[in-house]
Amino acid sequence: MAKSIDISAQKATPMMAQYLSLKAEAQDCLLFYRMGDFFELFFEDAKAAAATLDIALTSRGEHGGAPIPMCGVPVHSAESYLARLIKAGHRVAIAEQTETPAQAKARGSKSLVGRAIVRYVTAGTLTEETLLDSRRDNMLLALAQTGGENASEYGLAAADISTGRFETLTLNAADLAAELARLRPSEIVLPDGLALELPDAHPFDRAAFSSSRAEAALKRLFGVATLDGFGQFSRSELAAMGGLLSYLDHAGKGTLPFLAPPMRKTSGAHVAIDAATRESLEITATMSGARAGSLLGAVDRTVTGAGARLLAQDLSAPLMDQAMIEARLGLVQLFHDDPMLRDQLRAALRALPDIGRALGRVAMGRGSPRDLGQLRDGLGEARLLRERLGRLPDQPPLLAALLPALDGHGALVDSLARALVPLPPTETANGGYIADGYDPALDDLRRLAGDGRRAIAALEAKYREQTGIGALKIRHNGVLGYHVEVPARAADQLMQPDSGFTHRQTLAGVVRFNSIDLHEQASRVTQAGAHALVAESAHLEELIESTLGRKAEIARAADALARLDVAAALAERAAEGGWQRPHFVADDGEGPCLDISGGRHPVVEDALRRDGQPFVANDCRLMASDRLWLVTGPNMGGKSTFLRQNAIIVILAQAGGYVPAQSATLTLVDRLFSRVGASDNLAKGRSTFMVEMVETASILAQATERSFVILDEVGRGTSTYDGLALAWAVVEAVHEVNRCRCLFATHYHELTRLAETLPSLSLHHVRAREWKGDLVLLHEVSEGPADRSYGLAVARLAGLPPAVLKRAKDVLSRLEAGKAKTGGIAAGLDDLPLFAAAAAAQEEEESDPLRAAIEAIDADALSPREALEHIYRLKQLAAAHQED
């Protein structure tokens, strides 16, 4: 955050006074102050920008006897610098010149050119192609809380202004982290005073988060008398939407982006996946933040940016509505079963521009002729796809629902096709984007300008012949306009009073002149060119207005194209890997099921294939009578991969895609939990074991009978006794209380005794064998417990020194001998009552701290001073006990 600038405007120059006024308005944003062809930054802003951009820090003038720090970036390349600043976490205010030097001079001989902040550039308000990742959403999120500081309910509003996606949700504090992980916002806006420690969050005017003001603003924005058609929004949702709209209005300085009507999400509409599970399963990004190596990276075969963004949304929020899942699967099957149709569709989609983001730029007033050209081309191709796909017999329901959105744009496409050149430019300053023949008056102006330029070319030839100077040229620049330029050695002839030329400028090696004939011709060219630019600009405004009149329909077409891309991409991936369509069954009273035959992990399988190795597929059959699998076996044997692949198959299935398995039959999963691996969270002062316990506690508190849980090595981060005790209790709780489908991997072989008392628990292991002293990992999951852990064999594979391995073998022999003699660490567990019985028993007898302290004293070993200290301590304990 930039520091405030302590400088008196009264003591500053007019320019600096203007800067300080704008900086006060920009507050903690870096201020890009336009000065000619550069954006300049001063004071602390300059220091921060120079450090981030690695550019030179200079100075201008003085303040308090010290130079004012300063740096700048060229206007023509500002976007690349903005991208780096935004990525580094800065926000930027753009102060543009609002008048020309001539207009400023007309106000007074020494008047400063007027400037104003025209836009705030923040991570969540980007629309430029160069600043956005085409294959990822760019979500701006606002949170609000109604009912006072102690309320546990939040309203969430999120929008991607580059495409118009707009959704809202009411959620509890416990679900907030999961929703943030799903949406992956680039920026979060909170009302002033809301105490939430969230990354990329900053406060905004609390008054903006008003539910009543928001309702009125939403009605104005969408032109409706009531919001009932969009859903029944809670007060907290309205407040969040109000804050979001106000922030967008502030960032755009009164220009709101295109937003589709808000979609009201419900907490039960998609599978609940908390942040830890998303990270563990690496759904859209790996633990290092990379897309490659994630589930999304392994599945994505989309050919458009919009399709890639939609696929990420689908995988982040698997559905809970079986009818919607089946509709998606039906569309995937259409393209899977017809490879020729799939190839034709993907080829057509690959050539399409991103019309959703082009529309977003146009709606924000940042659109260019090129954006209109993209809309023309995209909507034109959408109409052809509509005709081609509309002829298919037996259309799946989802395709029939999507096709109408691709049509109805004929008039707009025809208008844009007639008005624009085939390849419109991104800049409008030089014109040339309106096609010849669209406007006869514009054509006349262009002809006049062209005739004038030809006359100037003829004049150049005339002057060469007249003067005998073969190097004479007529050139043009932004300062002198058209002028005659000759080498310095030939300039004396044109300097004569009767030469007909007027001296304008002398440079190293050349001298520049003007003439009456040239001035007259240049005036005609300039006047015609200026009028042509005005005419083109007027046509551009008309085209933008007619385009925005159909913005809702265009957005629906963009969404339909993205859905077709996702379906074709999932079909392509399924065809590549031999994936199968999953089947969903209702809970018929016998409990949920998860029956997977020949399941595979797509990310691991891809990695093995690159190394020329096969992936060993495995079955998983969790039924009402066999819903908890206890999986044992050696490290590196494939336990974690087996656990994760089944969770990933659930995600793919409920996202509406085929799955990497020979077959998959399942009942809908409402919540998905993964406790597979953990790391220290030093920022919160949590050790690996503490993180593990927090995640496990969350699972036990939230998992229902319809949930699917994978747990790996619970309890391994503490002592053997503590770890085994915790793992034992967790297995019982999952079986007796949560009663969900669960895969539990462990190295505590003592847990296998639970199969004798828990009827829905079964034992499984990953197979391994030792052959001639070497460990062979088979990666196969079989019934029954593992015969041993093979820890020393795995250590040998890891390269531990032979001396260390020999010593470890000796120690292991002694431990196993002691275990056989004493009954092992699991001695006495056979008589332990079940978790349910233990939970119903009375609480343990309260401990007596005074008695414990006395028993801990070794009276024979105390010195007089230590004895006195113990007496004082015992008195304190006694006094505390009496107070209790």
Side-chain angles (χ1 to χ4, degrees), residues 63-336:
H63 166 57
I68 299 173
M70 172 185 177
C71 70
V73 300
V75 170
H76 69 84
S77 59
E79 282 191 1
S80 63
Y81 292 102
L82 281 172
R84 292 164 62 186
L85 290 170
I86 298 303
K87 188 174 181 179
H90 296 289
R91 293 181 295 144
V92 180
I94 306 293
E96 285 279 8
Q97 296 174 183
T98 56
E99 60 182 357
T100 65
Q103 291 171 326
K105 190 174 182 180
R107 291 191 286 106
S109 60
K110 295 185 179 180
S111 291
L112 185 67
V113 173
R115 293 177 177 85
I117 295 176
V118 297
R119 176 192 174 194
Y120 291 90
V121 183
T122 69
T125 59
L126 302 175
T127 56
E128 292 84 350
E129 280 185 288
T130 55
L131 303 183
L132 291 171
D133 182 346
S134 65
R135 304 184 74 80
R136 177 175 172 173
D137 288 319
N138 190 57
M139 302 301 290
L140 171 68
L141 188 145
L143 282 171
Q145 189 179 43
T146 55
E149 294 183 359
N150 296 325
S152 61
E153 183 178 278
Y154 290 94
L156 180 154
D160 181 349
I161 69 167
S162 69
T163 60
R165 175 187 170 193
F166 187 19
E167 65 182 63
T168 183
L169 176 71
T170 298
L171 70 163
N172 296 320
D175 297 326
L176 180 57
E179 288 301 321
L180 293 179
R182 175 179 70 88
L183 292 166
R184 297 186 298 160
S186 300
E187 183 179 5
I188 302 174
V189 182
L190 305 173
D192 267 323
L194 183 58
L196 278 177
E197 294 185 9
L198 300 173
D200 304 311
H202 53 87
F204 188 60
D205 181 14
R206 190 176 190 85
F209 292 81
S210 164
S211 57
S212 56
R213 284 173 51 182
E215 187 170 0
L218 288 165
K219 289 176 181 177
R220 287 195 303 272
L221 178 63
F222 296 110
V224 295
T226 176
L227 300 179
D228 292 347
F230 303 142
Q232 297 298 318
F233 302 109
S234 67
R235 285 185 57 227
S236 57
E237 287 175 312
L238 287 170
M241 287 191 284
L244 186 75
L245 291 179
S246 294
Y247 184 74
L248 289 173
D249 184 68
H250 162 77
K253 297 297 288 183
T255 301
L256 278 174
F258 163 66
L259 292 176
M263 295 183 295
R264 187 173 190 275
K265 301 284 187 177
T266 59
S267 57
H270 55 260
V271 180
I273 309 175
D274 60 30
T277 299
R278 291 178 188 277
E279 182 180 18
S280 168
L281 297 178
E282 298 182 308
I283 298 173
T284 56
T286 64
M287 292 186 183
S288 63
R291 194 176 193 270
S294 67
L295 172 62
L296 176 60
V299 172
D300 189 5
R301 297 295 184 270
T302 57
V303 294
T304 69
R309 298 192 297 270
L310 183 59
L311 178 60
Q313 293 173 33
D314 289 350
L315 294 179
S316 295
L319 297 172
M320 280 297 296
D321 187 321
Q322 187 169 331
M324 293 178 64
I325 296 172
E326 295 291 356
R328 288 184 185 179
L329 287 170
L331 189 58
V332 174
Q333 182 170 353
L334 170 69
F335 299 128
H336 177 270

Side-chain angles (χ1 to χ4, degrees), residues 460-750:
E460 180 183 77
K462 174 186 174 183
Y463 286 159
R464 284 179 183 173
E465 182 180 354
Q466 177 182 318
T467 62
I469 303 172
L472 182 148
K473 296 182 183 299
I474 294 180
R475 298 187 182 279
H476 180 275
N477 64 32
V479 177
L480 297 181
Y482 286 97
H483 57 273
V484 175
E485 183 177 285
V486 298
R489 65 179 182 274
D492 290 345
Q493 178 182 345
L494 274 62
M495 286 286 191
Q496 300 301 321
D498 58 351
S499 68
F501 294 93
T502 304
H503 176 255
R504 294 296 307 276
Q505 191 176 44
T506 299
L507 300 174
V510 298
V511 182
R512 292 168 174 171
F513 298 87
N514 204 348
S515 69
I516 294 175
D517 291 344
L518 178 59
H519 177 73
E520 290 176 354
Q521 293 292 350
S523 296
R524 293 189 187 99
V525 171
T526 302
Q527 188 176 33
H531 289 166
L533 287 177
V534 170
E536 285 201 74
S537 179
H539 288 310
L540 181 64
E541 290 182 9
E542 292 171 359
L543 294 171
I544 288 174
E545 184 177 354
S546 61
T547 298
L548 293 180
R550 292 190 56 80
K551 59 187 178 183
E553 292 81 3
I554 296 172
R556 283 196 288 272
D559 292 343
L561 291 169
R563 177 56 64 195
L564 289 172
D565 187 19
V566 168
L570 290 175
E572 179 77 8
R573 185 66 183 90
E576 285 178 11
W579 295 9
Q580 300 298 319
R581 177 172 177 164
H583 298 281
F584 291 88
V585 295
D587 184 350
D588 56 5
E590 295 185 1
C593 76
L594 179 63
D595 189 356
I596 298 169
S597 175
R600 310 188 301 277
H601 192 303
V603 180
V604 178
E605 185 177 28
D606 284 351
L608 290 174
R609 184 184 297 112
R610 287 192 291 270
D611 293 337
Q613 301 179 35
F615 184 95
V616 179
N618 281 296
D619 300 344
C620 178
R621 191 170 188 272
L622 301 177
M623 312 299 286
S625 59
D626 190 17
R627 52 181 157 79
L628 199 165
W629 279 22
L630 194 67
V631 185
T632 54
N635 284 314
M636 298 176 60
K639 296 192 303 297
S640 295
T641 298
F642 175 69
L643 266 60
R644 284 188 171 100
Q645 76 187 34
N646 289 292
I648 282 173
I649 286 172
V650 169
I651 290 173
L652 287 169
Q654 293 193 215
Y658 279 34
V659 298
Q662 294 175 5
S663 67
T665 302
L666 67 155
T667 308
L668 288 177
V669 169
D670 66 347
R671 290 176 175 268
L672 185 63
F673 295 99
S674 170
R675 225 304 313 158
V676 180
S679 58
D680 290 342
N681 190 331
L682 300 180
K684 293 186 177 180
R686 291 176 176 175
S687 66
T688 302
F689 181 68
M690 182 61 174
V691 172
E692 174 185 313
M693 289 297 100
V694 169
E695 294 175 3
T696 304
S698 175
I699 293 171
L700 296 178
Q702 299 180 66
T704 71
E705 290 189 12
R706 301 176 66 194
S707 302
F708 180 44
V709 175
I710 58 174
L711 292 164
D712 191 12
E713 306 295 353
V714 170
R716 65 181 170 180
T718 185
S719 74
T720 303
Y721 285 98
D722 284 355
L724 174 59
L726 287 165
W728 188 286
V730 169
V731 171
E732 287 189 337
V734 169
H735 184 280
E736 296 295 310
V737 180
N738 301 104
R739 304 181 66 81
C740 57
R741 290 161 284 183
C742 177
L743 298 175
F744 193 109
T746 184
H747 277 104
Y748 292 126
H749 290 266
E750 293 78 7

